[in-house]
């Protein structure tokens, strides 16, 4: 028999049970080292893998076993945690536009002037998709704000998950970045488990509507300033959702046009006065030449 045997399972406990059955030893007498912890990945999205244990056959006895786990398990745990942190960082980078498939294409002059193009209509969320989204949010809330509660609402043809109670400031984050990250994770999880095309909006204490009103008021105020001074007004860096609110708010304003500036997920937005028509060719100088 070899010096060790490997056993896999969805969890360490399952791998241990499998080893005990095959080797016909009790759990208390099983000597093993944890090579890999069973994991469903980061919220079930990345790095899903089985648990792996390395068992010393019963004929050998370790010097000082501690609950059936060698001291080397602690270093393995540290490696697993480092790997998980790397996976989380990869998700965050993807969420905020550093991954190639999330960087927005450059906007043409026509699209900038008329506002960003209309998105494809999302499919009506199924009961399964709503359940997946709700379960995902509950996992996140258990870590960020356990007191918070979720409720499902349907607005026309769109489902919304409202988060209330707990600590709204933490759940919204600076400029809504935490809420935006939660929305991203919900979208990714639903798309992975239920298929693409669903859109379930996540909101915290009515923040999205408050944000829409603030951006609309700011856009109208800066548009009036640009019209009066004849100079462009600039809004600070915003995500695609916020830029779209501004584009649509000023879409029918005949005095100004909007244009996103920069690359990547966050861009500035300029509100520029439209050029006025030049003076008539039938001015005083033209009349003198007649």
């Amino acid at each position: 028999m070899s010096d060790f045997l490997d056993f896999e399972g969805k969890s360490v406990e399952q791998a241990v049970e499998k080893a005990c059955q095959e080797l016909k030893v009790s759990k208390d007498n099983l000597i093993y080292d944890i090579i890999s912890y069973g994991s469903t990945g980061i919220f079930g999205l990345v790095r899903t893998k089985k648990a792996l244990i390395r068992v010393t056959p019963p004929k050998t006895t370790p010097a000082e076993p501690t609950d059936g786990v060698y001291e080397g398990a602690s270093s393995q745990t540290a490696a697993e945690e480092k790997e998980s942190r790397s996976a989380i960082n990869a998700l965050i980078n993807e969420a905020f536009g550093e991954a190639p498939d999330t960087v927005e294409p450059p906007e043409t002059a026509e699209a900038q002037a008329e506002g960003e193009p209309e998105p494809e209509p999302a499919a009506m969320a199924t009961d399964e998709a709503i359940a997946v989204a709700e379960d995902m949010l509950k996992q996140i809330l258990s870590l960020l704000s356990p007191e918070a509660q979720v409720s499902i609402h349907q607005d026309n043809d769109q489902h919304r998950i409202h988060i209330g109670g707990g600590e709204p400031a933490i759940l919204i984050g600076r400029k809504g970045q935490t809420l935006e990250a939660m929305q991203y994770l919900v979208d990714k999880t639903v798309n992975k488990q239920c298929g693409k095309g669903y859109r379930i909006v996540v909101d915290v204490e009515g923040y999205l509507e408050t944000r829409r009103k603030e951006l609309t008021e700011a856009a109208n105020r800066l548009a009036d300033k640009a019209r009066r001074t004849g100079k462009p007004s600039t809004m600070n860096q915003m995500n695609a959702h916020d830029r779209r609110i501004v584009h649509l708010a000023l879409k029918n304003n005949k005095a100004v046009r909007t244009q996103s500036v920069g690359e990547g997920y966050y861009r500035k937005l300029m509100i520029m006065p439209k050029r006025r028509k030049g003076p008539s060719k039938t001015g005083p100088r033209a009349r003198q030449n007649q």
Side-chain angles (χ1 to χ4, degrees), residues 215-226:
L215 287 172
T216 300
E217 291 175 359
N220 288 326
R221 184 172 62 253
L222 291 175
D224 185 60
K225 178 181 177 182

Side-chain angles (χ1 to χ4, degrees), residues 211-212 215-216 240-250:
R211 179 67 171 165
R212 186 192 67 79
L215 287 172
T216 300
H241 176 269
D242 288 354
R243 291 198 309 274
R244 177 168 173 74
I245 290 175
V246 176
H247 282 311
L248 294 178
L250 300 178

Side-chain angles (χ1 to χ4, degrees), residues 1-4 25 31 56-62:
M1 185 180 292
S2 62
D3 293 338
F4 58 83
V25 297
I31 303 168
T56 301
K59 67 177 183 179
T60 60
T61 304

Side-chain angles (χ1 to χ4, degrees), residues 125-240:
T126 63
D127 292 341
E128 180 187 5
I130 295 170
V132 168
E134 185 177 8
D135 182 63
M136 161 60 67
L137 281 177
K138 287 181 177 179
Q139 291 184 56
I140 298 173
L141 294 176
S142 68
L143 300 173
L144 296 180
S145 181
E147 300 81 11
Q149 300 292 325
V150 299
S151 58
I152 311 297
H153 300 267
Q154 183 176 341
D155 301 331
N156 297 324
D157 58 348
Q158 187 179 65
H159 281 91
R160 289 177 176 265
I161 299 181
H162 289 276
I163 302 174
E167 301 180 68
I170 293 177
L171 297 176
I172 294 171
R174 183 175 178 271
K175 295 184 178 179
Q177 287 187 348
T178 304
L179 175 57
E180 185 179 356
M182 288 194 293
Q183 178 71 68
Y184 172 80
L185 288 172
V186 166
D187 289 342
K188 290 286 287 185
T189 307
V190 171
N191 289 343
K192 182 179 179 66
Q193 298 188 27
C194 305
K196 296 184 178 181
Y198 299 113
R199 178 64 172 173
I200 302 174
V201 177
V202 181
D203 195 8
V204 176
E205 296 286 4
Y207 171 80
L208 294 181
E209 180 61 19
T210 301
R211 179 67 171 165
R212 186 192 67 79
K213 290 180 178 178
E214 289 176 349
L215 287 172
T216 300
E217 291 175 359
N220 288 326
R221 184 172 62 253
L222 291 175
D224 185 60
K225 178 181 177 182
R227 179 189 60 78
R228 287 186 287 102
T229 63
K231 297 179 180 180
S233 297
T234 303
M235 300 186 74
N236 291 332
Q237 288 185 334
M238 296 182 291
N239 59 37

